[in-house]
Amino acid sequence: MKILVTGGLGFIGSHTVVELQNEGFEVVIIDDCSNSSEKVLEGISSISGKMPIFEKIDLKEKAKVEDFFKRHQDVQGVIHFAASKAVGESVQKPLLYYENNIGTLVYLLKELSKKDNASFIFSSSCTVYGQADEMPISEKAPVKPAESPYGNTKQMGEEIIRDTCAVNPKLKAIALRYFNPMGAHPSGSIGELPIGVPQNLVPFITQTGMGLREELSVFGDDYPTEDGTCIRDYIYVVDLAKAHVKALQRLLGGKNQDNYEVFNLGTGKGSSVLEVIHSFERVSGKKLNYKIVDRRAGDIVSAYADTKKANDVLGWKSQYTLDEAMKSAWEWEQKVRA
């Protein structure tokens, strides 16, 4: 069964390609390599023993998307990762984010809507909840006004998919709202490869541990949490990748209750910024150079998942602890810099 993975050379995409191949799927990757590298293909094939089909396509080019689906009429499912994802950049360049994240989604859904049967998995985010009123955050929590154009593209993306599914019963879709992915494949062959200054906490920590960054800034220690720093739900990337396979199999097997469903993907446990730093210090045996600075605009206090629906309905549960995920991130960082 042929599955298209857009953004399949990226951090979460590459790990999901491996898990799909391990389950026997034939994978085609589309990526424009704007935030990734073709070298990732070697890492994927070294783990799975199979080289995925790769097409370097910019999904903003509608004619190329149409041509792809004409040539690959046997694609039965799409996992859609391809998107711009830096919150700060989205505030500076909103139109770039709306074009890249919304326009491309519309082109894909138009092609899938022509099929007799199609399954679509959307890479969404817990940013849709904003600062939720209750912890842990369940799928029933209200979607709050977005704090950034990036967050807005995830909200709008979900709405576009829901509206499309409402009038097209042949299209089945699941939106997966992730919390904070981290870590690297245990083989050390693929991992997070941020271009430029990392936007995420964990690669900034590991790069600081390697001496690439002078110090880590902790934005605020006066939040209403136990140690005063923000709390997030850090999920191991391989656990997250396996959830995508479960979601796809749910749709392909006709086990979905509705043709549009939503699941939160996290561990169900919140960790503060300082707890993540201490995890790094435990697994690396190094003291991390960090300093407390002023709060950063737009940061919410706390966000961690209620995982009951994913556990019970999807049949998926995260396996790795924070320290285990951190150890994989540190080993990957050392390998990349070797």
Side-chain angles (χ1 to χ4, degrees):
M1 194 174 285
K2 191 185 277 186
I3 304 300
L4 166 63
V5 180
T6 74
L9 298 183
F11 176 39
I12 305 165
S14 59
H15 288 80
T16 302
V17 168
V18 167
E19 296 306 322
L20 286 166
Q21 290 180 321
N22 288 345
E23 289 292 317
F25 290 100
E26 182 187 0
V27 180
V28 187
I29 294 171
I30 286 180
D31 204 302
D32 68 356
C33 297
S34 60
N35 198 29
S36 58
S37 163
E38 286 187 45
K39 289 180 183 169
V40 175
L41 287 166
E42 297 163 23
I44 290 169
S45 61
S46 74
I47 301 166
S48 67
K50 289 168 268 189
M51 180 64 79
I53 302 164
F54 170 62
E55 298 215 11
K56 189 174 180 178
I57 293 173
D58 184 343
L59 292 171
K60 295 194 294 294
E61 297 184 44
K62 186 181 180 187
K64 289 189 176 176
V65 178
E66 291 171 342
D67 175 64
F68 173 87
F69 279 94
K70 283 193 185 103
R71 290 184 290 107
H72 295 274
Q73 294 188 13
D74 52 344
V75 165
Q76 290 184 266
V78 175
I79 302 182
H80 182 42
F81 293 105
S84 302
K85 61 174 188 176
V87 172
E89 183 187 48
S90 78
V91 174
Q92 301 299 321
K93 302 174 181 176
L95 290 178
L96 184 147
Y97 274 67
Y98 289 122
E99 180 185 33
N100 201 35
N101 294 8
I102 300 299
T104 56
L105 172 65
V106 170
Y107 296 159
L108 287 170
L109 290 175
K110 275 190 158 185
E111 293 306 307
L112 290 180
S113 295
K114 297 172 187 175
K115 290 180 168 290
D116 288 336
N117 196 4
S119 299
F120 188 76
I121 308 296
F122 181 57
S123 163
S124 192
S125 166
C126 66
T127 58
V128 301
Y129 297 117
Q131 180 57 70
D133 303 319
E134 292 177 16
M135 291 295 141
I137 302 170
S138 83
E139 290 82 356
K140 291 189 174 74
V143 170
K144 298 275 186 80
E147 298 279 340
S148 68
Y150 163 73
N152 204 23
T153 65
K154 292 304 180 186
Q155 290 185 12
M156 291 168 68
E158 288 192 11
E159 289 166 6
I160 290 165
I161 298 162
R162 188 190 63 219
D163 292 346
T164 307
C165 287
V167 295
N168 186 349
K170 295 177 195 169
L171 178 64
K172 298 176 288 189
I174 289 176
L176 298 174
R177 294 172 176 168
Y178 332 142
F179 282 67
N180 295 71
M182 65 172 287
H185 197 272
S187 66
S189 297
I190 53 174
E192 192 166 6
L193 271 175
I195 292 173
V197 179
Q199 301 291 326
N200 298 334
L201 174 63
V202 173
F204 210 111
I205 286 174
T206 56
Q207 287 191 12
T208 305
M210 284 295 288
L212 264 77
R213 309 277 158 205
E214 196 176 321
E215 65 183 0
L216 171 75
S217 293
V218 176
F219 297 104
D221 65 348
D222 57 351
Y223 285 96
T225 62
E226 205 163 298
D227 63 21
T229 62
C230 292
I231 289 172
R232 299 290 182 269
D233 187 339
Y234 294 90
I235 175 170
Y236 181 48
V237 65
V238 177
D239 283 340
L240 187 61
K242 287 177 177 174
H244 289 76
V245 180
K246 284 272 191 191
L248 183 67
Q249 289 169 331
R250 177 176 173 80
L251 295 182
L252 294 172
K255 293 177 185 157
N256 50 305
Q257 288 152 352
D258 299 295
N259 72 328
Y260 175 67
E261 296 180 318
V262 173
F263 293 93
N264 285 345
L265 297 180
T267 65
K269 182 182 184 302
S271 300
S272 73
V273 176
L274 289 180
E275 284 174 333
V276 177
I277 289 170
H278 296 149
S279 170
F280 171 79
E281 291 178 335
R282 276 194 301 276
V283 303
S284 69
K286 294 169 81 96
K287 287 295 286 178
L288 192 74
N289 192 22
Y290 69 91
K291 68 172 178 182
I292 309 294
V293 297
D294 291 341
R295 289 186 182 193
R296 181 172 55 183
D299 274 348
I300 57 173
V301 179
S302 181
Y304 55 97
D306 181 336
T307 60
K308 189 173 186 340
K309 186 179 178 186
N311 297 167
D312 297 349
V313 180
L314 196 58
W316 168 89
K317 196 174 194 314
S318 66
Q319 303 294 324
Y320 275 64
T321 65
L322 176 64
D323 280 8
E324 288 168 336
M326 182 60 79
K327 185 169 183 285
S328 73
W330 177 232
E331 286 171 352
W332 166 250
E333 186 69 56
Q334 292 174 97
K335 182 179 177 182
V336 169
R337 307 300 164 193

